[in-house]
Amino acid sequence: MTAPIPYGSWPSPVSAADVASASTRFDGARFIGEEIWWAQSVPEEGGRMAVRRRRDGRTADVLPAPWSARSRVHEYGGGAWCAAEDGRLFFVEGSDQRVYLLGTDGAPTPLTAEEVGTAFGGLVWASGRLLAVRERAAASGGERAIVEISLDGAGARVVARGDDFVAQPALSPDGRRLAWIGWNHPDLPWDRTRLHVARLRDGVVFDEISVTDGAASALQPLWTGSDELLYLDDTSGRWQVQRVRPDTGERSVLTHDDADTGGALWTLGMRWFAPLEDGRIVAVRTNGEDSVVVIDPADGTIRSVGVDGASQTFLEDARGTRLLVTTASASAPLGLWLVDADGAAPPERLAGDDLSALEAWLPAPRAMTADGVHGPVHAYFYPPTHPELRGPDDELAPCLVWVHGGPTAHVGPAASRKIAYFTSRGIGVLDVNYSGSTGYGRAYRERLRGQWGVADVDDVIAAARHLAAAGLADPERLAIEGGSAGGWTVLSALTRGDVFAAGVSRYGVGDARALVADTHDFESRYLDGLIGPLPETADVYIERSPLTHPDRFRVPLLILQGTEDRVVPPAQAEAIRDALRHQGVPHAYVLYDGEGHGFRRRETTIDALTSELAFLGEVFGFATDAPELPLSIGALRIADGPDGRTVRIDPESDTVHAERDLRVVVSREPLRPLFARPHTSGWAETLRGAGFTATADDPDLFVLLPALDGE
């Protein structure tokens, strides 16, 4: 092993371009004839969703560029394609949200009319019929419905409607009944839904009943006979597989263990279980980590399936004993796998990144549980890992504390190039499942009810302190990063605590009231449960919002934002930037043209990662291989000069000049004073005239004390 190298500066074989190329997303997989089809993002093609097929070991595109199968229903989409056994592909084109048919020859042809404000998703092909969820914006009627799309171009007709939101239509084998789930404001599908069943007459529902009472979250109805239905429900506090006969109301619970088969229905194509032809059921079970199991309802036995999956696991399709599973594990990133339920053949990876060449650089995740104010806090720690290098004996590693979005998302112990990008350079990563996360049951999820901005913040602080107390990270070099709802927690933690020395916010929420006013309908009442109903609890919204307390922003912040984000519009990011400018807090604001809520383009991923690494190096004082990222300071009362004057950069008049000419660096010292490196003689003279002196070893690096108001 070579001589120690400072943490953060280790040379790494993992580049930002590698991460971007491997940032694959999937949207379903199916057995189609003798082939396997799936949808997968292509980062190098602008993040478009391609539908691909595999046969005899060869992979080819079914849906060629520039077509992209992407739905915008509920903004997050999902279920943007399905296919008939004869090879006809039905898909939602991302650019116009129309449904198209691509036959075995020729170009795609539209099946639905071009209609502004209308989107389709959750496509299902069953018994020769094409079903979908149709969403119309308020200007077009403001309705969601289950529709049947004619194959002759006649458009879509409504099959079922009535709830504010609908999802997961399932047609019975004889084609005479339809099951689906629905829910109404202010609930989200992980709060309360109803499972509806109705008979069909001339393609329209009648004699409708609710199989569940709407007190819990019912998900994923699947018919196993003309009068037998499987579905998921968490009435027990965990999502369990249930069976019901709608005609008689007879029902039974098929699983009883302390784990979830189910999760937050953010996208329409999510599936957690599938029945096998012999009556057994294959299901994903989650209790922190995922596993895939075979359930035999005849004797109640549950047996593990031999697939190395621990996170982001979905049961996409089953035929015979063959399964299509998307999953990630500690040794393999997210990918699509062909698995045999009985172990007749070894699992085969069909798509996804291959990290075998980086095995020596992959960190081994460690499950950690911290004692929190609201109960135990679960997290996974990825330590700095390098086969040849180590850090100095007298130095602890910096660490990134990751806060997932949702806030009802869930993280498990999974390998990824993004994690390795940091850990292979000597930066630890702590991935936290804070209060509100799925994967630990309803009680853990509902710890966040009414407590968003409190319980989540307490939890990430508890996890970070736990890590530092264990001697696994430098307590003075803890940074917090998150996107969307995770970005809210980042900003809240920076304004409500002093644990973190820096933050990275990706399209984070800074003003809860603005989020309610600006966001899309699916999440427009989300905060009723997370904070409280408006206008009754308006004072709580004001108090909780980070932008209410701009004076509390004290540590450097990197803000990453897309121009086309309709969930958290750029106005929120720019309000945060302006608050940082006013307070004189070092920051960088990077706006990506054409990006929405979640970055998709390869070039964006590369720039965001290198910007983050450069930012951490700048703040924590280590050299990096990333391009320099100058930090802006905006309006900064640098300090009082000897004659009592204040040197000030005014945001209205001098911001551009200041941000170009006066670079701010943050010290690693406990008090974190600021330094300035002027790039023009004018600024150098201004600083000298105000009584500031340069450091002993660098005549162009001026010490600014006090660094911030109150320090």
Side-chain angles (χ1 to χ4, degrees), residues 241-309:
V241 182
Q242 319 244 357
R243 178 169 55 197
V244 65
R245 297 183 183 278
D247 282 346
T248 64
E250 175 189 352
R251 68 184 67 219
S252 57
V253 181
L254 303 183
T255 56
H256 302 274
D257 50 330
D258 190 23
D260 286 306
T261 295
L265 189 70
W266 283 102
T267 62
L268 294 176
M270 303 170 89
R271 296 175 176 86
W272 294 272
F273 77 97
L276 299 181
E277 295 170 359
D278 60 9
R280 294 178 299 166
I281 300 166
V282 182
V284 179
R285 305 295 281 156
T286 305
N287 187 28
E289 298 183 20
D290 297 341
S291 62
V292 181
V293 300
V294 176
I295 304 163
D296 191 340
D299 57 17
T301 58
I302 297 179
R303 175 180 54 79
S304 178
V305 173
V307 56
D308 185 18

Side-chain angles (χ1 to χ4, degrees), residues 162-165 182-188 192-194 196:
D163 293 314
D164 292 337
F165 301 91
W183 66 96
N184 296 298
H185 283 311
D187 290 321
L188 277 295
R192 282 171 289 275
T193 67
R194 287 182 183 272
H196 301 287

Side-chain angles (χ1 to χ4, degrees), residues 48-68:
R48 82 172 184 99
M49 293 296 293
V51 178
R52 292 179 166 166
R53 64 184 173 194
R54 184 178 179 89
R55 184 172 185 175
D56 299 329
R58 294 189 299 273
T59 299
D61 278 358
V62 178
L63 185 64
W67 299 93
S68 178

Side-chain angles (χ1 to χ4, degrees), residues 374-377 435 442-449 451 455 459:
H374 311 276
V377 182
S435 294
R442 179 177 279 270
Y444 196 87
R445 204 163 70 240
E446 292 194 338
R447 283 187 354 195
L448 197 62
R449 195 161 187 84
Q451 295 296 307
D459 285 357

Side-chain angles (χ1 to χ4, degrees), residues 657-689:
H657 174 75
E659 293 182 1
R660 183 181 66 244
D661 294 337
L662 188 64
R663 176 171 174 236
V664 173
V665 184
V666 183
S667 171
R668 286 179 50 205
E669 299 302 317
L671 294 179
R672 304 190 186 104
L674 296 180
F675 298 91
R677 186 186 301 281
H679 294 307
T680 64
S681 58
W683 269 107
E685 292 173 3
T686 298
L687 292 174
R688 289 192 183 95

Side-chain angles (χ1 to χ4, degrees), residues 308-334:
D308 185 18
S311 181
Q312 307 171 68
T313 309
F314 294 97
L315 207 297
E316 305 289 1
D317 200 7
R319 176 176 291 181
T321 60
R322 296 195 305 159
L323 314 173
L324 292 176
V325 180
T326 50
T327 189
S329 71
S331 59
L334 183 64

